Amino acid sequence: MSKLKFAIAGCGVISKTHATAISTLSSDAELIAVCDIVEDRAKKLAQDFGIKKIYTDYEKMLLDPEIDVVSICTPSGVHSDMAVLAADSKKHVIVEKPMDITLSKADRIIEAQNRNNVVISIISQHRYSDCMQLLKRLANEGKFGNIVLATSYTKWYRSQEYYDSGSWRGTWSLDGGGALMNQSIHYIDMIQWIVGKVVEVYAYCVTRAHKRIEVEDGAVAAVKFENGAIGEIVGTTSAYPGFETRLEIFGEKGSATAVNTRLESLYFKDGSEKEYLEIYKKEEDGPVGASSAAIKEEGHVRQYRDVINAIKTGTKPLIPAEEGRHPVEIILAIYLSSLTGKPVKLPLESDEEVLKEIEKIKGKGF
């Protein structure tokens, strides 16, 4: 198969990361089109990457027979509609996180993937880091023994100007949530991928540091995992000036901590950590959470490479559409727990109850 031809829909901040990832893989991929309802944004991205095809009409772009893969970088609440249209046009799809903001919309993407036999992958670039790959492997091999406690901390900062920069930011209808749905989702995905399925949450969410937003800027959730472990998920966009993300795993046979996808510490009672530390502690730090523009491209490059391989070989990528659903479900359960003041069990039968509760606080914040 020759080079796959890519198009990017949505030319905001994160689109440059996607364009750079595609350009890095120039032997297998080529960015040939960009699309945005604001023509100047599309023109700017096209100019920066030497793209000739510029669209402001998404459906018209999907008629282009040259395009093999569409990368969706638009506001979260329209991801499903756009992904389904692309899949039904027989395009493969890469969707920025979250895959969408409700379970019913997430399920539409999964159904479109299966119905059209196309590859749809949801961005969760940290899964591809050497550190997270190692922790997943160690957990699968039972190196930690029975995991007792696991924690996910995302203490980032977003200014008031960030939320004011787009009318969709901080809204339930298009952002779908705040510090959890849009920032902490990365490490929420990591904790459930490495430690195991989350089966119950009890949570508090607050809106304390930002004005004119409907969503949380701070959240704390106690979680239970299917394997018996317990844990904590903490997320905020109010930790000035922005601090590291952390993942911690504590088990009967050993412990590990990761900071910004770098292995910070690893200990096993049998002393076997030495064989891993020299290799994995050398991985470069990821960004401190002060700005989405600071996100490094390497994780995206690795995910794009995986998706390209899946398309060419007819296999599934590491993160197909159904995998992107898990963190969204956990976050919705956290919202429901905070809004009702009760523990919530997973899997959720539907998102109907949480959407009703969210409707009550629209325009107010938590």
Side-chain angles (χ1 to χ4, degrees), residues 89-142:
S89 299
K90 307 305 178 186
K91 313 293 188 188
H92 303 286
V93 189
I94 294 175
V95 186
E96 252 299 339
K97 58 75 192 164
M99 65 188 297
D100 209 298
I101 59 177
T102 70
L103 295 183
S104 55
K105 287 184 174 184
D107 289 338
R108 287 186 63 222
I109 296 178
I110 296 168
E111 290 161 5
Q113 170 192 258
N114 298 338
R115 179 174 66 247
N116 292 289
N117 194 29
V118 295
V119 170
I120 299 183
S121 186
I122 313 304
I123 289 291
S124 186
Q125 72 272 21
H126 296 326
R127 284 200 191 190
Y128 293 86
S129 73
D130 294 343
C131 172
M132 295 304 173
Q133 288 280 325
L134 172 65
L135 295 181
K136 173 68 170 174
R137 188 180 114 206
L138 294 174
N140 286 352
E141 292 175 354

Short mmCIF file of all heavy atoms in Angstrom, two decimals, residues 89-142:
data_model
loop_
_atom_site.label_atom_id
_atom_site.label_comp_id
_atom_site.label_asym_id
_atom_site.label_seq_id
_atom_site.Cartn_x
_atom_site.Cartn_y
_atom_site.Cartn_z
N SER A 89 -18.37 7.33 5.00
CA SER A 89 -17.75 7.68 3.71
C SER A 89 -16.56 6.79 3.41
O SER A 89 -15.78 7.06 2.50
CB SER A 89 -17.31 9.16 3.74
OG SER A 89 -18.40 10.02 3.94
N LYS A 90 -16.42 5.73 4.23
CA LYS A 90 -15.36 4.72 4.08
C LYS A 90 -13.96 5.29 4.31
O LYS A 90 -12.97 4.82 3.75
CB LYS A 90 -15.43 4.04 2.70
CG LYS A 90 -16.80 3.46 2.37
CD LYS A 90 -17.30 2.49 3.44
CE LYS A 90 -18.68 1.96 3.11
NZ LYS A 90 -19.25 1.12 4.21
N LYS A 91 -13.91 6.30 5.18
CA LYS A 91 -12.61 6.83 5.60
C LYS A 91 -12.24 6.21 6.95
O LYS A 91 -13.11 5.97 7.80
CB LYS A 91 -12.66 8.36 5.77
CG LYS A 91 -13.30 9.12 4.63
CD LYS A 91 -12.51 9.07 3.34
CE LYS A 91 -13.12 10.03 2.30
NZ LYS A 91 -12.49 9.87 0.97
N HIS A 92 -10.98 5.96 7.17
CA HIS A 92 -10.50 5.62 8.50
C HIS A 92 -10.46 6.91 9.32
O HIS A 92 -10.40 8.01 8.77
CB HIS A 92 -9.13 4.98 8.43
CG HIS A 92 -9.09 3.76 7.56
ND1 HIS A 92 -9.64 2.54 7.93
CD2 HIS A 92 -8.58 3.57 6.30
CE1 HIS A 92 -9.46 1.67 6.98
NE2 HIS A 92 -8.82 2.25 5.97
N VAL A 93 -10.48 6.78 10.65
CA VAL A 93 -10.66 7.97 11.49
C VAL A 93 -9.76 7.93 12.72
O VAL A 93 -9.62 6.88 13.37
CB VAL A 93 -12.13 8.11 11.96
CG1 VAL A 93 -12.34 9.46 12.65
CG2 VAL A 93 -13.11 7.94 10.80
N ILE A 94 -9.16 9.06 13.03
CA ILE A 94 -8.48 9.28 14.30
C ILE A 94 -9.21 10.41 15.01
O ILE A 94 -9.43 11.48 14.42
CB ILE A 94 -7.00 9.63 14.10
CG1 ILE A 94 -6.24 8.44 13.51
CG2 ILE A 94 -6.35 10.08 15.41
CD1 ILE A 94 -4.80 8.72 13.15
N VAL A 95 -9.62 10.18 16.26
CA VAL A 95 -10.42 11.15 17.00
C VAL A 95 -9.66 11.60 18.24
O VAL A 95 -9.22 10.78 19.04
CB VAL A 95 -11.78 10.55 17.44
CG1 VAL A 95 -12.65 11.62 18.08
CG2 VAL A 95 -12.50 9.90 16.27
N GLU A 96 -9.49 12.91 18.39
CA GLU A 96 -8.89 13.43 19.62
C GLU A 96 -9.77 13.06 20.82
O GLU A 96 -10.98 12.89 20.70
CB GLU A 96 -8.71 14.95 19.56
CG GLU A 96 -7.28 15.40 19.40
CD GLU A 96 -6.33 14.98 20.52
OE1 GLU A 96 -6.80 14.66 21.64
OE2 GLU A 96 -5.12 14.97 20.29
N LYS A 97 -9.12 12.92 21.98
CA LYS A 97 -9.87 12.62 23.19
C LYS A 97 -10.70 13.83 23.61
O LYS A 97 -10.34 14.97 23.26
CB LYS A 97 -8.93 12.19 24.31
CG LYS A 97 -7.85 13.23 24.68
CD LYS A 97 -8.39 14.40 25.48
CE LYS A 97 -7.44 15.53 25.59
NZ LYS A 97 -8.09 16.78 26.04
N PRO A 98 -11.79 13.64 24.34
CA PRO A 98 -12.48 12.37 24.50
C PRO A 98 -13.18 12.01 23.20
O PRO A 98 -13.43 12.87 22.37
CB PRO A 98 -13.52 12.68 25.59
CG PRO A 98 -13.84 14.13 25.39
CD PRO A 98 -12.53 14.76 24.98
N MET A 99 -13.51 10.71 23.01
CA MET A 99 -14.13 10.31 21.75
C MET A 99 -15.45 11.05 21.53
O MET A 99 -15.81 11.36 20.41
CB MET A 99 -14.31 8.80 21.67
CG MET A 99 -15.26 8.19 22.66
SD MET A 99 -15.21 6.38 22.61
CE MET A 99 -15.78 6.01 20.94
N ASP A 100 -16.16 11.32 22.59
CA ASP A 100 -17.31 12.23 22.64
C ASP A 100 -17.68 12.37 24.09
O ASP A 100 -16.95 11.87 24.97
CB ASP A 100 -18.48 11.76 21.77
CG ASP A 100 -19.31 12.94 21.25
OD1 ASP A 100 -19.88 13.67 22.09
OD2 ASP A 100 -19.37 13.16 20.02
N ILE A 101 -18.80 13.00 24.39
CA ILE A 101 -19.08 13.38 25.77
C ILE A 101 -20.23 12.60 26.40
O ILE A 101 -20.55 12.84 27.56
CB ILE A 101 -19.36 14.89 25.86
CG1 ILE A 101 -20.54 15.29 24.97
CG2 ILE A 101 -18.10 15.67 25.47
CD1 ILE A 101 -20.92 16.75 25.07
N THR A 102 -20.85 11.69 25.66
CA THR A 102 -21.87 10.81 26.23
C THR A 102 -21.62 9.39 25.75
O THR A 102 -20.96 9.17 24.72
CB THR A 102 -23.30 11.22 25.82
OG1 THR A 102 -23.50 10.96 24.42
CG2 THR A 102 -23.56 12.70 26.11
N LEU A 103 -22.17 8.43 26.48
CA LEU A 103 -21.99 7.03 26.09
C LEU A 103 -22.74 6.71 24.81
O LEU A 103 -22.28 5.92 23.99
CB LEU A 103 -22.46 6.11 27.22
CG LEU A 103 -21.64 6.20 28.51
CD1 LEU A 103 -22.16 5.20 29.53
CD2 LEU A 103 -20.16 5.98 28.26
N SER A 104 -23.91 7.31 24.64
CA SER A 104 -24.68 7.04 23.42
C SER A 104 -23.93 7.52 22.19
O SER A 104 -23.92 6.85 21.15
CB SER A 104 -26.07 7.69 23.51
OG SER A 104 -25.95 9.08 23.77
N LYS A 105 -23.26 8.66 22.30
CA LYS A 105 -22.46 9.16 21.18
C LYS A 105 -21.22 8.30 20.96
O LYS A 105 -20.83 8.04 19.81
CB LYS A 105 -22.07 10.62 21.41
CG LYS A 105 -23.23 11.60 21.27
CD LYS A 105 -22.74 13.03 21.41
CE LYS A 105 -23.84 14.03 21.11
NZ LYS A 105 -23.34 15.42 21.17
N ALA A 106 -20.61 7.87 22.05
CA ALA A 106 -19.46 6.98 21.93
C ALA A 106 -19.87 5.69 21.23
O ALA A 106 -19.13 5.18 20.37
CB ALA A 106 -18.89 6.67 23.32
N ASP A 107 -21.03 5.16 21.59
CA ASP A 107 -21.50 3.92 20.97
C ASP A 107 -21.77 4.09 19.48
O ASP A 107 -21.59 3.15 18.70
CB ASP A 107 -22.75 3.42 21.69
CG ASP A 107 -22.44 2.88 23.08
OD1 ASP A 107 -21.27 2.52 23.32
OD2 ASP A 107 -23.35 2.84 23.93
N ARG A 108 -22.19 5.27 19.07
CA ARG A 108 -22.41 5.52 17.64
C ARG A 108 -21.10 5.39 16.87
O ARG A 108 -21.08 4.88 15.74
CB ARG A 108 -23.01 6.92 17.42
CG ARG A 108 -24.47 7.07 17.82
CD ARG A 108 -24.99 8.45 17.43
NE ARG A 108 -24.95 8.61 15.99
CZ ARG A 108 -24.56 9.73 15.37
NH1 ARG A 108 -24.14 10.78 16.07
NH2 ARG A 108 -24.56 9.81 14.05
N ILE A 109 -20.00 5.85 17.46
CA ILE A 109 -18.70 5.73 16.81
C ILE A 109 -18.28 4.27 16.70
O ILE A 109 -17.80 3.83 15.65
CB ILE A 109 -17.63 6.54 17.59
CG1 ILE A 109 -17.97 8.03 17.56
CG2 ILE A 109 -16.24 6.30 16.99
CD1 ILE A 109 -17.00 8.90 18.36
N ILE A 110 -18.48 3.52 17.78
CA ILE A 110 -18.14 2.09 17.76
C ILE A 110 -18.95 1.36 16.69
O ILE A 110 -18.43 0.54 15.93
CB ILE A 110 -18.37 1.47 19.15
CG1 ILE A 110 -17.43 2.11 20.17
CG2 ILE A 110 -18.16 -0.04 19.11
CD1 ILE A 110 -17.76 1.78 21.61
N GLU A 111 -20.24 1.66 16.64
CA GLU A 111 -21.11 1.03 15.64
C GLU A 111 -20.68 1.39 14.22
O GLU A 111 -20.68 0.53 13.33
CB GLU A 111 -22.57 1.46 15.88
CG GLU A 111 -23.18 0.88 17.15
CD GLU A 111 -24.41 1.64 17.61
OE1 GLU A 111 -24.86 2.57 16.88
OE2 GLU A 111 -24.92 1.32 18.70
N ALA A 112 -20.29 2.65 14.00
CA ALA A 112 -19.84 3.06 12.66
C ALA A 112 -18.54 2.37 12.28
O ALA A 112 -18.34 1.98 11.12
CB ALA A 112 -19.66 4.58 12.62
N GLN A 113 -17.66 2.20 13.24
CA GLN A 113 -16.40 1.46 13.01
C GLN A 113 -16.69 0.05 12.55
O GLN A 113 -16.13 -0.43 11.54
CB GLN A 113 -15.59 1.43 14.31
CG GLN A 113 -14.38 0.50 14.28
CD GLN A 113 -13.80 0.30 15.69
OE1 GLN A 113 -12.79 0.90 16.01
NE2 GLN A 113 -14.43 -0.54 16.50
N ASN A 114 -17.57 -0.63 13.26
CA ASN A 114 -17.86 -2.04 12.95
C ASN A 114 -18.69 -2.19 11.68
O ASN A 114 -18.48 -3.12 10.90
CB ASN A 114 -18.57 -2.68 14.14
CG ASN A 114 -17.72 -2.68 15.40
OD1 ASN A 114 -16.49 -2.59 15.32
ND2 ASN A 114 -18.34 -2.76 16.56
N ARG A 115 -19.61 -1.26 11.49
CA ARG A 115 -20.50 -1.33 10.32
C ARG A 115 -19.74 -1.15 9.02
O ARG A 115 -20.05 -1.78 8.00
CB ARG A 115 -21.59 -0.25 10.47
CG ARG A 115 -22.58 -0.19 9.31
CD ARG A 115 -23.70 0.79 9.60
NE ARG A 115 -23.27 2.17 9.68
CZ ARG A 115 -23.27 2.91 10.79
NH1 ARG A 115 -23.67 2.40 11.93
NH2 ARG A 115 -22.87 4.17 10.75
N ASN A 116 -18.74 -0.27 9.05
CA ASN A 116 -18.01 0.07 7.82
C ASN A 116 -16.68 -0.65 7.69
O ASN A 116 -15.99 -0.49 6.68
CB ASN A 116 -17.78 1.58 7.78
CG ASN A 116 -19.08 2.35 7.59
OD1 ASN A 116 -19.67 2.33 6.52
ND2 ASN A 116 -19.52 3.02 8.65
N ASN A 117 -16.31 -1.45 8.71
CA ASN A 117 -15.04 -2.17 8.69
C ASN A 117 -13.87 -1.24 8.43
O ASN A 117 -13.01 -1.51 7.59
CB ASN A 117 -15.08 -3.29 7.64
CG ASN A 117 -13.94 -4.28 7.82
OD1 ASN A 117 -13.45 -4.49 8.93
ND2 ASN A 117 -13.48 -4.86 6.72
N VAL A 118 -13.87 -0.11 9.15
CA VAL A 118 -12.77 0.85 9.05
C VAL A 118 -12.05 0.90 10.40
O VAL A 118 -12.57 0.44 11.42
CB VAL A 118 -13.27 2.26 8.67
CG1 VAL A 118 -13.86 2.25 7.28
CG2 VAL A 118 -14.27 2.79 9.69
N VAL A 119 -10.86 1.45 10.40
CA VAL A 119 -10.11 1.66 11.63
C VAL A 119 -10.51 3.01 12.23
O VAL A 119 -10.45 4.03 11.54
CB VAL A 119 -8.60 1.64 11.38
CG1 VAL A 119 -7.83 2.10 12.62
CG2 VAL A 119 -8.15 0.24 10.96
N ILE A 120 -10.96 3.00 13.46
CA ILE A 120 -11.19 4.24 14.21
C ILE A 120 -10.38 4.14 15.49
O ILE A 120 -10.54 3.18 16.26
CB ILE A 120 -12.67 4.48 14.53
CG1 ILE A 120 -13.50 4.61 13.24
CG2 ILE A 120 -12.83 5.74 15.39
CD1 ILE A 120 -14.97 4.93 13.46
N SER A 121 -9.51 5.10 15.73
CA SER A 121 -8.67 5.10 16.92
C SER A 121 -8.86 6.41 17.68
O SER A 121 -8.95 7.48 17.08
CB SER A 121 -7.20 4.93 16.54
OG SER A 121 -6.39 4.78 17.69
N ILE A 122 -8.93 6.29 19.01
CA ILE A 122 -9.13 7.46 19.87
C ILE A 122 -7.78 7.84 20.48
O ILE A 122 -7.08 7.00 21.04
CB ILE A 122 -10.15 7.15 21.00
CG1 ILE A 122 -11.40 6.45 20.42
CG2 ILE A 122 -10.49 8.43 21.74
CD1 ILE A 122 -12.10 7.20 19.31
N ILE A 123 -7.43 9.10 20.39
CA ILE A 123 -6.14 9.54 20.89
C ILE A 123 -6.03 9.32 22.41
O ILE A 123 -6.85 9.79 23.19
CB ILE A 123 -5.89 11.03 20.57
CG1 ILE A 123 -5.65 11.22 19.07
CG2 ILE A 123 -4.72 11.58 21.38
CD1 ILE A 123 -4.36 10.64 18.54
N SER A 124 -5.01 8.55 22.77
CA SER A 124 -4.58 8.42 24.17
C SER A 124 -3.08 8.12 24.11
O SER A 124 -2.63 7.02 24.39
CB SER A 124 -5.34 7.30 24.89
OG SER A 124 -5.02 7.29 26.27
N GLN A 125 -2.35 9.14 23.71
CA GLN A 125 -0.96 8.96 23.30
C GLN A 125 -0.05 8.44 24.40
O GLN A 125 0.99 7.83 24.13
CB GLN A 125 -0.40 10.27 22.72
CG GLN A 125 -0.13 11.37 23.73
CD GLN A 125 -1.34 12.25 24.00
OE1 GLN A 125 -2.47 11.87 23.75
NE2 GLN A 125 -1.08 13.45 24.51
N HIS A 126 -0.44 8.64 25.66
CA HIS A 126 0.43 8.18 26.75
C HIS A 126 0.53 6.66 26.81
O HIS A 126 1.49 6.13 27.36
CB HIS A 126 -0.07 8.73 28.09
CG HIS A 126 -0.02 10.22 28.18
ND1 HIS A 126 0.98 10.97 27.58
CD2 HIS A 126 -0.84 11.11 28.79
CE1 HIS A 126 0.76 12.25 27.83
NE2 HIS A 126 -0.33 12.37 28.56
N ARG A 127 -0.45 5.96 26.28
CA ARG A 127 -0.36 4.49 26.25
C ARG A 127 0.86 4.02 25.48
O ARG A 127 1.33 2.91 25.69
CB ARG A 127 -1.61 3.89 25.60
CG ARG A 127 -2.85 3.88 26.45
CD ARG A 127 -3.81 2.86 25.91
NE ARG A 127 -5.14 2.93 26.50
CZ ARG A 127 -6.08 2.02 26.32
NH1 ARG A 127 -5.83 0.97 25.55
NH2 ARG A 127 -7.27 2.16 26.87
N TYR A 128 1.36 4.85 24.60
CA TYR A 128 2.48 4.46 23.74
C TYR A 128 3.84 4.79 24.34
O TYR A 128 4.87 4.45 23.76
CB TYR A 128 2.34 5.13 22.37
CG TYR A 128 1.15 4.63 21.58
CD1 TYR A 128 -0.10 5.20 21.77
CD2 TYR A 128 1.27 3.56 20.69
CE1 TYR A 128 -1.21 4.74 21.06
CE2 TYR A 128 0.17 3.10 19.98
CZ TYR A 128 -1.07 3.69 20.17
OH TYR A 128 -2.16 3.22 19.49
N SER A 129 3.86 5.47 25.49
CA SER A 129 5.14 5.81 26.09
C SER A 129 5.82 4.54 26.61
O SER A 129 5.16 3.58 27.01
CB SER A 129 4.94 6.80 27.24
OG SER A 129 4.37 6.17 28.37
N ASP A 130 7.14 4.55 26.63
CA ASP A 130 7.89 3.40 27.13
C ASP A 130 7.50 3.08 28.57
O ASP A 130 7.37 1.92 28.96
CB ASP A 130 9.39 3.68 27.06
CG ASP A 130 9.90 3.81 25.63
OD1 ASP A 130 9.18 3.38 24.71
OD2 ASP A 130 11.00 4.34 25.45
N CYS A 131 7.32 4.13 29.37
CA CYS A 131 7.00 3.95 30.78
C CYS A 131 5.66 3.25 30.97
O CYS A 131 5.56 2.27 31.72
CB CYS A 131 6.99 5.32 31.47
SG CYS A 131 6.38 5.29 33.16
N MET A 132 4.62 3.75 30.30
CA MET A 132 3.29 3.15 30.48
C MET A 132 3.22 1.74 29.89
O MET A 132 2.54 0.87 30.43
CB MET A 132 2.22 4.05 29.86
CG MET A 132 2.10 5.41 30.55
SD MET A 132 1.77 5.27 32.32
CE MET A 132 1.91 7.00 32.82
N GLN A 133 3.93 1.53 28.80
CA GLN A 133 4.01 0.18 28.24
C GLN A 133 4.64 -0.78 29.25
O GLN A 133 4.20 -1.92 29.42
CB GLN A 133 4.82 0.20 26.94
CG GLN A 133 4.10 0.86 25.77
CD GLN A 133 3.10 -0.06 25.11
OE1 GLN A 133 3.30 -1.27 25.02
NE2 GLN A 133 2.00 0.51 24.65
N LEU A 134 5.69 -0.30 29.93
CA LEU A 134 6.35 -1.14 30.94
C LEU A 134 5.40 -1.43 32.10
O LEU A 134 5.28 -2.59 32.53
CB LEU A 134 7.60 -0.44 31.46
CG LEU A 134 8.27 -1.12 32.66
CD1 LEU A 134 8.82 -2.50 32.27
CD2 LEU A 134 9.36 -0.24 33.25
N LEU A 135 4.73 -0.42 32.63
CA LEU A 135 3.83 -0.62 33.77
C LEU A 135 2.69 -1.56 33.42
O LEU A 135 2.30 -2.42 34.23
CB LEU A 135 3.29 0.72 34.26
CG LEU A 135 4.32 1.69 34.86
CD1 LEU A 135 3.64 2.97 35.33
CD2 LEU A 135 5.10 1.04 36.00
N LYS A 136 2.18 -1.45 32.20
CA LYS A 136 1.13 -2.37 31.75
C LYS A 136 1.66 -3.80 31.73
O LYS A 136 0.99 -4.73 32.20
CB LYS A 136 0.67 -1.95 30.35
CG LYS A 136 -0.30 -2.91 29.66
CD LYS A 136 -1.65 -2.95 30.35
CE LYS A 136 -2.66 -3.73 29.50
NZ LYS A 136 -3.95 -3.92 30.21
N ARG A 137 2.86 -3.97 31.20
CA ARG A 137 3.46 -5.30 31.13
C ARG A 137 3.70 -5.88 32.52
O ARG A 137 3.38 -7.04 32.79
CB ARG A 137 4.79 -5.22 30.37
CG ARG A 137 5.41 -6.58 30.05
CD ARG A 137 6.71 -6.39 29.30
NE ARG A 137 7.86 -6.84 30.09
CZ ARG A 137 9.08 -6.38 29.96
NH1 ARG A 137 9.33 -5.40 29.11
NH2 ARG A 137 10.06 -6.84 30.69
N LEU A 138 4.24 -5.07 33.42
CA LEU A 138 4.52 -5.54 34.77
C LEU A 138 3.24 -5.92 35.50
O LEU A 138 3.20 -6.92 36.23
CB LEU A 138 5.28 -4.46 35.54
CG LEU A 138 6.69 -4.13 35.04
CD1 LEU A 138 7.26 -2.95 35.81
CD2 LEU A 138 7.61 -5.34 35.14
N ALA A 139 2.18 -5.12 35.31
CA ALA A 139 0.90 -5.45 35.94
C ALA A 139 0.34 -6.74 35.38
O ALA A 139 -0.15 -7.60 36.12
CB ALA A 139 -0.08 -4.29 35.75
N ASN A 140 0.42 -6.90 34.06
CA ASN A 140 -0.10 -8.12 33.43
C ASN A 140 0.67 -9.36 33.89
O ASN A 140 0.09 -10.45 34.02
CB ASN A 140 -0.01 -8.01 31.90
CG ASN A 140 -1.05 -7.09 31.31
OD1 ASN A 140 -1.95 -6.63 32.02
ND2 ASN A 140 -0.93 -6.79 30.03
N GLU A 141 1.97 -9.19 34.13
CA GLU A 141 2.80 -10.32 34.56
C GLU A 141 2.70 -10.60 36.06
O GLU A 141 3.32 -11.54 36.56
CB GLU A 141 4.26 -10.05 34.19
CG GLU A 141 4.51 -10.05 32.68
CD GLU A 141 5.94 -9.65 32.33
OE1 GLU A 141 6.70 -9.26 33.26
OE2 GLU A 141 6.29 -9.71 31.14
N GLY A 142 1.94 -9.75 36.77
CA GLY A 142 1.76 -9.95 38.21
C GLY A 142 2.95 -9.53 39.05
O GLY A 142 3.07 -9.95 40.20
#
